[in-house]
């Protein structure tokens, strides 16, 4: 039994990793926090994007020294996103689409399309990954959409889908 438990803990250890965050990440932690994440998430996203470092005493010391610099950079990013959020907060973006008799669209509206419309109408960048869709936008109507710019900067927009008469 002890042998089996040791095998399990070895297997478990291989699917998780300890990392130190270099920026605030929603639902994970803040700058300088030591967190445990799944290997794939850590390797393929956090480390690759430069959002974290593998945990070691040396890396912890480096992050502690650079923490004020990282916080300053984080504040600049947050302020930039606050400006964008002010520009688009509670605005309505209208899509005209063909739909079936019951009001369902032939396809749904994706974050990429919303992002492009915001860029076109408000001359500002919103990444499709920042747009949070709770439901598919696949019918005529007005929908409240959340936009997560940063762990501390969120806003809402309205997406209105109007019917255009098919010929």
């Amino acid at each position: 039994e002890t042998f089996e438990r040791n095998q399990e803990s070895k297997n478990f250890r291989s699917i998780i990793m300890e990392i130190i965050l270099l920026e605030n990440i929603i639902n994970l932690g803040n700058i300088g926090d030591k967190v445990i994440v799944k290997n794939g998430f850590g390797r393929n996203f956090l480390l690759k994007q430069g959002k974290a470092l593998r945990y070691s005493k040396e890396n912890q010391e480096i992050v502690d020294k650079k923490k004020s610099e990282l916080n300053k950079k984080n504040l600049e990013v947050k302020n930039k996103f606050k400006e964008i959020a002010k520009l688009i907060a509670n605005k309505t973006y209208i899509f005209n689409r063909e739909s079936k008799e019951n009001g369902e669209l032939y396809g749904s509206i994706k974050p990429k399309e919303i992002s492009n419309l915001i860029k076109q109408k408000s001359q500002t960048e919103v990444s499709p990954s920042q747009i949070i869709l709770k439901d598919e936008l696949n019918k005529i109507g007005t929908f409240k959409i959340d936009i997560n710019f940063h762990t501390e900067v969120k806003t809402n927009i309205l997406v209105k889908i109007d019917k255009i008469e098919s010929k």
Side-chain angles (χ1 to χ4, degrees), residues 41-160:
F41 180 58
R43 239 190 359 256
N44 300 331
F45 179 68
L46 297 172
L47 295 174
K48 206 177 215 174
Q49 303 256 331
K51 295 176 184 284
L53 290 174
R54 283 184 185 274
Y55 177 76
S56 70
K57 289 220 180 338
E58 299 82 41
N59 281 348
Q60 184 72 57
E61 288 169 14
I62 291 168
V63 171
D64 289 343
K65 285 178 188 163
K66 289 173 63 178
K67 200 169 187 174
S68 64
E69 186 185 311
L70 290 168
N71 278 324
K72 185 179 165 196
K73 185 176 146 197
N74 181 47
L75 190 66
E76 288 170 10
V77 169
K78 186 171 97 174
N79 288 336
K80 185 185 98 182
F81 283 138
K82 274 185 179 174
E83 290 302 311
I84 295 172
K86 273 186 209 166
L87 274 174
I88 66 170
N90 301 317
K91 280 197 177 164
T92 302
Y93 295 91
I94 300 170
F95 286 90
N96 294 310
R97 291 286 192 265
E98 285 188 17
S99 67
K100 302 175 189 169
E101 291 295 317
N102 62 3
E104 285 182 15
L105 303 181
Y106 290 108
S108 61
I109 292 176
K110 304 284 184 224
K112 181 85 176 133
E113 294 174 83
I114 297 170
S115 171
N116 290 339
L117 188 66
I118 292 171
K119 186 176 182 180
Q120 183 186 336
K121 299 285 185 202
S122 301
Q123 284 75 43
T124 187
E125 290 284 329
V126 175
S127 158
S129 62
Q130 295 168 328
I131 297 170
I132 311 300
L133 296 181
K134 292 184 177 82
D135 302 309
E136 274 195 61
L137 302 182
N138 59 3
K139 53 186 173 284
I140 300 296
T142 304
F143 304 89
K144 187 176 176 182
I145 307 295
D146 295 330
I147 300 181
N148 260 349
F149 288 109
H150 185 274
T151 51
E152 300 165 33
V153 183
K154 297 171 178 59
T155 192
N156 297 314
I157 62 167
L158 293 173
V159 169
K160 184 177 184 195

